[in-house]
């Protein structure tokens, strides 16, 4: 089992940057595909970005391509999400999640473990 704790959310002006961090417990972190999802009020949770087990492959939602960057450090059991050029429509609760799929998955149903979420608010 994996426990995930996100941090780094906050309030930022449009055009600004934030870096989210996800700390994972356990000794099997490197065996999980990791993903970031977000959920805005009144909307379904949506895929943002995912990274393969060794960090060699990443998949981004079109809405964040070129602005967000995901990375992981398996020695530190950590996944980072660098968010640049933030827009008001990026406002949401951001969740870190772990999956046992072989390839990076986009569906929430493929992710077994979830963090509690961290709020990101982008003001215009």
């Amino acid at each position: 089992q994996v426990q995930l704790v996100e941090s780094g959310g906050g309030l930022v002006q449009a055009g600004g940057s934030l870096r989210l961090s996800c700390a994972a417990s356990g000794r099997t972190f490197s065996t999980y595909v990791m993903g970031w999802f977000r959920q805005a009020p009144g909307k379904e949770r949506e895929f943002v970005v995912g990274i393969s087990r060794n960090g060699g492959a990443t998949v981004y939602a079109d809405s964040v391509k070129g602005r967000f960057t995901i990375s992981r450090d398996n020695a530190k059991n950590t996944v980072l999400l660098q968010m640049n050029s933030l827009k008001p429509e990026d406002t949401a609760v951001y969740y870190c999640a772990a999956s046992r799929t072989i390839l990076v998955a986009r569906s929430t149903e493929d992710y077994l473990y979830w963090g509690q979420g961290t709020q990101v608010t982008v003001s215009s």
Side-chain angles (χ1 to χ4, degrees):
Q1 189 168 354
V2 176
Q3 292 184 325
L4 304 172
V5 179
E6 304 96 334
S7 61
L11 173 64
V12 64
Q13 289 187 333
S17 298
L18 281 175
R19 188 176 75 167
L20 304 184
S21 179
C22 174
S25 65
R27 293 178 289 181
T28 60
F29 175 73
S30 63
T31 66
Y32 290 90
V33 164
M34 298 300 297
W36 285 96
F37 290 75
R38 66 187 181 186
Q39 188 167 18
K43 295 187 177 181
E44 292 187 354
R45 192 169 298 188
E46 65 173 2
F47 173 81
V48 176
V49 59
I51 189 167
S52 62
R53 298 171 185 180
N54 65 1
T58 55
V59 177
Y60 291 86
D62 288 344
S63 59
V64 305
K65 278 182 182 177
R67 300 188 299 121
F68 290 12
T69 303
I70 190 172
S71 61
R72 69 187 295 166
D73 185 336
N74 286 342
K76 295 182 179 179
N77 283 15
T78 301
V79 179
L80 299 177
L81 180 62
Q82 178 66 42
M83 305 187 295
N84 299 327
S85 302
L86 283 161
K87 305 175 181 180
E89 50 264 44
D90 293 318
T91 295
V93 177
Y94 283 70
Y95 297 91
C96 176
S99 170
R100 281 290 196 186
T101 54
I102 296 176
L103 301 178
V104 175
R106 292 175 176 261
S107 171
T108 57
E109 295 180 355
D110 289 319
Y111 287 79
L112 297 174
Y113 304 109
W114 295 81
Q116 82 289 350
T118 185
Q119 177 70 47
V120 171
T121 303
V122 184
S123 63
S124 58

PDB file of all heavy atoms in Angstrom, residues 7-13 17-20 83 86 90-94 117-123:
ATOM      1  N   SER A   7       1.645  18.682  -1.259  1.00  0.00           N
ATOM      2  CA  SER A   7       1.907  19.981  -0.659  1.00  0.00           C
ATOM      3  C   SER A   7       2.276  20.961  -1.757  1.00  0.00           C
ATOM      4  O   SER A   7       2.560  20.550  -2.890  1.00  0.00           O
ATOM      5  CB  SER A   7       3.029  19.888   0.379  1.00  0.00           C
ATOM      6  OG  SER A   7       4.233  19.455  -0.220  1.00  0.00           O
ATOM      7  N   GLY A   8       2.276  22.245  -1.410  1.00  0.00           N
ATOM      8  CA  GLY A   8       2.731  23.256  -2.358  1.00  0.00           C
ATOM      9  C   GLY A   8       1.646  24.080  -3.013  1.00  0.00           C
ATOM     10  O   GLY A   8       1.942  24.999  -3.781  1.00  0.00           O
ATOM     11  N   GLY A   9       0.403  23.770  -2.732  1.00  0.00           N
ATOM     12  CA  GLY A   9      -0.666  24.566  -3.315  1.00  0.00           C
ATOM     13  C   GLY A   9      -0.723  25.961  -2.712  1.00  0.00           C
ATOM     14  O   GLY A   9      -0.028  26.264  -1.740  1.00  0.00           O
ATOM     15  N   GLY A  10      -1.567  26.810  -3.303  1.00  0.00           N
ATOM     16  CA  GLY A  10      -1.710  28.157  -2.783  1.00  0.00           C
ATOM     17  C   GLY A  10      -2.412  29.063  -3.755  1.00  0.00           C
ATOM     18  O   GLY A  10      -3.007  28.613  -4.734  1.00  0.00           O
ATOM     19  N   LEU A  11      -2.319  30.356  -3.470  1.00  0.00           N
ATOM     20  CA  LEU A  11      -2.938  31.394  -4.304  1.00  0.00           C
ATOM     21  C   LEU A  11      -1.845  32.091  -5.104  1.00  0.00           C
ATOM     22  O   LEU A  11      -0.824  32.507  -4.538  1.00  0.00           O
ATOM     23  CB  LEU A  11      -3.664  32.395  -3.406  1.00  0.00           C
ATOM     24  CG  LEU A  11      -4.232  33.639  -4.090  1.00  0.00           C
ATOM     25  CD1 LEU A  11      -5.316  33.260  -5.085  1.00  0.00           C
ATOM     26  CD2 LEU A  11      -4.776  34.610  -3.044  1.00  0.00           C
ATOM     27  N   VAL A  12      -2.062  32.222  -6.400  1.00  0.00           N
ATOM     28  CA  VAL A  12      -1.077  32.863  -7.264  1.00  0.00           C
ATOM     29  C   VAL A  12      -1.815  33.664  -8.331  1.00  0.00           C
ATOM     30  O   VAL A  12      -2.940  33.318  -8.707  1.00  0.00           O
ATOM     31  CB  VAL A  12      -0.150  31.804  -7.895  1.00  0.00           C
ATOM     32  CG1 VAL A  12      -0.916  30.875  -8.819  1.00  0.00           C
ATOM     33  CG2 VAL A  12       1.023  32.443  -8.612  1.00  0.00           C
ATOM     34  N   GLN A  13      -1.187  34.705  -8.810  1.00  0.00           N
ATOM     35  CA  GLN A  13      -1.777  35.498  -9.880  1.00  0.00           C
ATOM     36  C   GLN A  13      -1.577  34.811 -11.230  1.00  0.00           C
ATOM     37  O   GLN A  13      -0.629  34.026 -11.405  1.00  0.00           O
ATOM     38  CB  GLN A  13      -1.164  36.891  -9.918  1.00  0.00           C
ATOM     39  CG  GLN A  13      -1.568  37.787  -8.753  1.00  0.00           C
ATOM     40  CD  GLN A  13      -1.075  39.209  -8.928  1.00  0.00           C
ATOM     41  OE1 GLN A  13      -0.076  39.459  -9.588  1.00  0.00           O
ATOM     42  NE2 GLN A  13      -1.784  40.151  -8.321  1.00  0.00           N
ATOM     43  N   SER A  17       3.724  31.028 -11.061  1.00  0.00           N
ATOM     44  CA  SER A  17       4.154  29.630 -10.991  1.00  0.00           C
ATOM     45  C   SER A  17       3.941  29.055  -9.598  1.00  0.00           C
ATOM     46  O   SER A  17       3.953  29.782  -8.602  1.00  0.00           O
ATOM     47  CB  SER A  17       5.643  29.513 -11.344  1.00  0.00           C
ATOM     48  OG  SER A  17       5.904  29.943 -12.654  1.00  0.00           O
ATOM     49  N   LEU A  18       3.750  27.761  -9.567  1.00  0.00           N
ATOM     50  CA  LEU A  18       3.694  27.002  -8.317  1.00  0.00           C
ATOM     51  C   LEU A  18       4.355  25.655  -8.557  1.00  0.00           C
ATOM     52  O   LEU A  18       4.350  25.151  -9.687  1.00  0.00           O
ATOM     53  CB  LEU A  18       2.252  26.768  -7.857  1.00  0.00           C
ATOM     54  CG  LEU A  18       1.504  27.901  -7.155  1.00  0.00           C
ATOM     55  CD1 LEU A  18       0.068  27.480  -6.899  1.00  0.00           C
ATOM     56  CD2 LEU A  18       2.186  28.283  -5.850  1.00  0.00           C
ATOM     57  N   ARG A  19       4.881  25.074  -7.494  1.00  0.00           N
ATOM     58  CA  ARG A  19       5.417  23.727  -7.594  1.00  0.00           C
ATOM     59  C   ARG A  19       4.742  22.857  -6.555  1.00  0.00           C
ATOM     60  O   ARG A  19       4.830  23.135  -5.356  1.00  0.00           O
ATOM     61  CB  ARG A  19       6.927  23.705  -7.392  1.00  0.00           C
ATOM     62  CG  ARG A  19       7.533  22.328  -7.680  1.00  0.00           C
ATOM     63  CD  ARG A  19       9.035  22.320  -7.585  1.00  0.00           C
ATOM     64  NE  ARG A  19       9.505  22.349  -6.210  1.00  0.00           N
ATOM     65  CZ  ARG A  19      10.756  22.105  -5.849  1.00  0.00           C
ATOM     66  NH1 ARG A  19      11.660  21.836  -6.758  1.00  0.00           N
ATOM     67  NH2 ARG A  19      11.086  22.167  -4.580  1.00  0.00           N
ATOM     68  N   LEU A  20       4.085  21.833  -7.021  1.00  0.00           N
ATOM     69  CA  LEU A  20       3.441  20.874  -6.135  1.00  0.00           C
ATOM     70  C   LEU A  20       4.377  19.699  -5.898  1.00  0.00           C
ATOM     71  O   LEU A  20       5.107  19.278  -6.797  1.00  0.00           O
ATOM     72  CB  LEU A  20       2.135  20.375  -6.737  1.00  0.00           C
ATOM     73  CG  LEU A  20       1.096  21.429  -7.114  1.00  0.00           C
ATOM     74  CD1 LEU A  20      -0.177  20.743  -7.594  1.00  0.00           C
ATOM     75  CD2 LEU A  20       0.821  22.368  -5.971  1.00  0.00           C
ATOM     76  N   MET A  83       4.390  24.048 -12.233  1.00  0.00           N
ATOM     77  CA  MET A  83       3.309  24.674 -13.001  1.00  0.00           C
ATOM     78  C   MET A  83       3.691  26.126 -13.291  1.00  0.00           C
ATOM     79  O   MET A  83       3.847  26.919 -12.355  1.00  0.00           O
ATOM     80  CB  MET A  83       1.994  24.613 -12.224  1.00  0.00           C
ATOM     81  CG  MET A  83       1.616  23.201 -11.792  1.00  0.00           C
ATOM     82  SD  MET A  83      -0.020  23.107 -11.045  1.00  0.00           S
ATOM     83  CE  MET A  83       0.240  24.091  -9.571  1.00  0.00           C
ATOM     84  N   LEU A  86       0.484  30.023 -15.151  1.00  0.00           N
ATOM     85  CA  LEU A  86      -0.809  29.578 -14.644  1.00  0.00           C
ATOM     86  C   LEU A  86      -1.947  30.489 -15.105  1.00  0.00           C
ATOM     87  O   LEU A  86      -1.764  31.700 -15.261  1.00  0.00           O
ATOM     88  CB  LEU A  86      -0.780  29.499 -13.121  1.00  0.00           C
ATOM     89  CG  LEU A  86      -0.045  28.268 -12.576  1.00  0.00           C
ATOM     90  CD1 LEU A  86       0.353  28.463 -11.126  1.00  0.00           C
ATOM     91  CD2 LEU A  86      -0.914  27.032 -12.732  1.00  0.00           C
ATOM     92  N   ASP A  90      -6.891  27.002 -14.346  1.00  0.00           N
ATOM     93  CA  ASP A  90      -6.119  25.953 -13.660  1.00  0.00           C
ATOM     94  C   ASP A  90      -6.549  25.812 -12.201  1.00  0.00           C
ATOM     95  O   ASP A  90      -6.083  24.909 -11.503  1.00  0.00           O
ATOM     96  CB  ASP A  90      -4.626  26.263 -13.711  1.00  0.00           C
ATOM     97  CG  ASP A  90      -4.056  26.200 -15.117  1.00  0.00           C
ATOM     98  OD1 ASP A  90      -4.418  25.276 -15.868  1.00  0.00           O
ATOM     99  OD2 ASP A  90      -3.239  27.091 -15.451  1.00  0.00           O
ATOM    100  N   THR A  91      -7.395  26.703 -11.738  1.00  0.00           N
ATOM    101  CA  THR A  91      -7.864  26.648 -10.361  1.00  0.00           C
ATOM    102  C   THR A  91      -8.609  25.345 -10.091  1.00  0.00           C
ATOM    103  O   THR A  91      -9.549  25.000 -10.807  1.00  0.00           O
ATOM    104  CB  THR A  91      -8.788  27.838 -10.065  1.00  0.00           C
ATOM    105  OG1 THR A  91      -8.032  29.048 -10.165  1.00  0.00           O
ATOM    106  CG2 THR A  91      -9.394  27.726  -8.669  1.00  0.00           C
ATOM    107  N   ALA A  92      -8.161  24.619  -9.078  1.00  0.00           N
ATOM    108  CA  ALA A  92      -8.739  23.312  -8.752  1.00  0.00           C
ATOM    109  C   ALA A  92      -8.029  22.744  -7.529  1.00  0.00           C
ATOM    110  O   ALA A  92      -7.004  23.277  -7.097  1.00  0.00           O
ATOM    111  CB  ALA A  92      -8.590  22.347  -9.923  1.00  0.00           C
ATOM    112  N   VAL A  93      -8.572  21.663  -7.028  1.00  0.00           N
ATOM    113  CA  VAL A  93      -7.849  20.843  -6.064  1.00  0.00           C
ATOM    114  C   VAL A  93      -7.033  19.844  -6.870  1.00  0.00           C
ATOM    115  O   VAL A  93      -7.576  19.156  -7.735  1.00  0.00           O
ATOM    116  CB  VAL A  93      -8.796  20.116  -5.098  1.00  0.00           C
ATOM    117  CG1 VAL A  93      -7.997  19.206  -4.164  1.00  0.00           C
ATOM    118  CG2 VAL A  93      -9.616  21.121  -4.299  1.00  0.00           C
ATOM    119  N   TYR A  94      -5.752  19.765  -6.596  1.00  0.00           N
ATOM    120  CA  TYR A  94      -4.845  18.883  -7.320  1.00  0.00           C
ATOM    121  C   TYR A  94      -4.537  17.659  -6.459  1.00  0.00           C
ATOM    122  O   TYR A  94      -4.194  17.781  -5.284  1.00  0.00           O
ATOM    123  CB  TYR A  94      -3.560  19.618  -7.677  1.00  0.00           C
ATOM    124  CG  TYR A  94      -3.741  20.554  -8.859  1.00  0.00           C
ATOM    125  CD1 TYR A  94      -4.493  21.707  -8.732  1.00  0.00           C
ATOM    126  CD2 TYR A  94      -3.179  20.250 -10.097  1.00  0.00           C
ATOM    127  CE1 TYR A  94      -4.685  22.548  -9.824  1.00  0.00           C
ATOM    128  CE2 TYR A  94      -3.369  21.089 -11.186  1.00  0.00           C
ATOM    129  CZ  TYR A  94      -4.125  22.233 -11.038  1.00  0.00           C
ATOM    130  OH  TYR A  94      -4.311  23.065 -12.116  1.00  0.00           O
ATOM    131  N   GLY A 117      -5.238  15.840  -1.583  1.00  0.00           N
ATOM    132  CA  GLY A 117      -5.409  16.993  -2.459  1.00  0.00           C
ATOM    133  C   GLY A 117      -4.843  18.272  -1.873  1.00  0.00           C
ATOM    134  O   GLY A 117      -4.735  18.436  -0.654  1.00  0.00           O
ATOM    135  N   THR A 118      -4.474  19.178  -2.773  1.00  0.00           N
ATOM    136  CA  THR A 118      -3.990  20.490  -2.371  1.00  0.00           C
ATOM    137  C   THR A 118      -4.630  21.531  -3.285  1.00  0.00           C
ATOM    138  O   THR A 118      -4.716  21.335  -4.499  1.00  0.00           O
ATOM    139  CB  THR A 118      -2.455  20.561  -2.424  1.00  0.00           C
ATOM    140  OG1 THR A 118      -2.010  21.817  -1.911  1.00  0.00           O
ATOM    141  CG2 THR A 118      -1.912  20.367  -3.829  1.00  0.00           C
ATOM    142  N   GLN A 119      -5.091  22.620  -2.698  1.00  0.00           N
ATOM    143  CA  GLN A 119      -5.828  23.638  -3.441  1.00  0.00           C
ATOM    144  C   GLN A 119      -4.873  24.569  -4.189  1.00  0.00           C
ATOM    145  O   GLN A 119      -3.915  25.088  -3.606  1.00  0.00           O
ATOM    146  CB  GLN A 119      -6.694  24.474  -2.495  1.00  0.00           C
ATOM    147  CG  GLN A 119      -7.443  25.617  -3.156  1.00  0.00           C
ATOM    148  CD  GLN A 119      -8.567  25.129  -4.057  1.00  0.00           C
ATOM    149  OE1 GLN A 119      -9.362  24.268  -3.665  1.00  0.00           O
ATOM    150  NE2 GLN A 119      -8.647  25.690  -5.264  1.00  0.00           N
ATOM    151  N   VAL A 120      -5.164  24.767  -5.459  1.00  0.00           N
ATOM    152  CA  VAL A 120      -4.464  25.749  -6.275  1.00  0.00           C
ATOM    153  C   VAL A 120      -5.494  26.763  -6.765  1.00  0.00           C
ATOM    154  O   VAL A 120      -6.486  26.382  -7.381  1.00  0.00           O
ATOM    155  CB  VAL A 120      -3.752  25.084  -7.472  1.00  0.00           C
ATOM    156  CG1 VAL A 120      -3.225  26.143  -8.438  1.00  0.00           C
ATOM    157  CG2 VAL A 120      -2.634  24.179  -6.991  1.00  0.00           C
ATOM    158  N   THR A 121      -5.246  28.021  -6.478  1.00  0.00           N
ATOM    159  CA  THR A 121      -6.152  29.084  -6.901  1.00  0.00           C
ATOM    160  C   THR A 121      -5.358  30.113  -7.691  1.00  0.00           C
ATOM    161  O   THR A 121      -4.356  30.640  -7.196  1.00  0.00           O
ATOM    162  CB  THR A 121      -6.822  29.760  -5.704  1.00  0.00           C
ATOM    163  OG1 THR A 121      -7.525  28.773  -4.927  1.00  0.00           O
ATOM    164  CG2 THR A 121      -7.811  30.815  -6.162  1.00  0.00           C
ATOM    165  N   VAL A 122      -5.813  30.377  -8.908  1.00  0.00           N
ATOM    166  CA  VAL A 122      -5.148  31.340  -9.771  1.00  0.00           C
ATOM    167  C   VAL A 122      -6.091  32.516  -9.987  1.00  0.00           C
ATOM    168  O   VAL A 122      -7.186  32.357 -10.534  1.00  0.00           O
ATOM    169  CB  VAL A 122      -4.762  30.710 -11.119  1.00  0.00           C
ATOM    170  CG1 VAL A 122      -3.982  31.712 -11.968  1.00  0.00           C
ATOM    171  CG2 VAL A 122      -3.950  29.441 -10.909  1.00  0.00           C
ATOM    172  N   SER A 123      -5.674  33.673  -9.557  1.00  0.00           N
ATOM    173  CA  SER A 123      -6.503  34.865  -9.689  1.00  0.00           C
ATOM    174  C   SER A 123      -6.197  35.591 -10.996  1.00  0.00           C
ATOM    175  O   SER A 123      -5.059  35.572 -11.480  1.00  0.00           O
ATOM    176  CB  SER A 123      -6.282  35.795  -8.506  1.00  0.00           C
ATOM    177  OG  SER A 123      -4.943  36.249  -8.487  1.00  0.00           O
TER     178      SER A 123
END
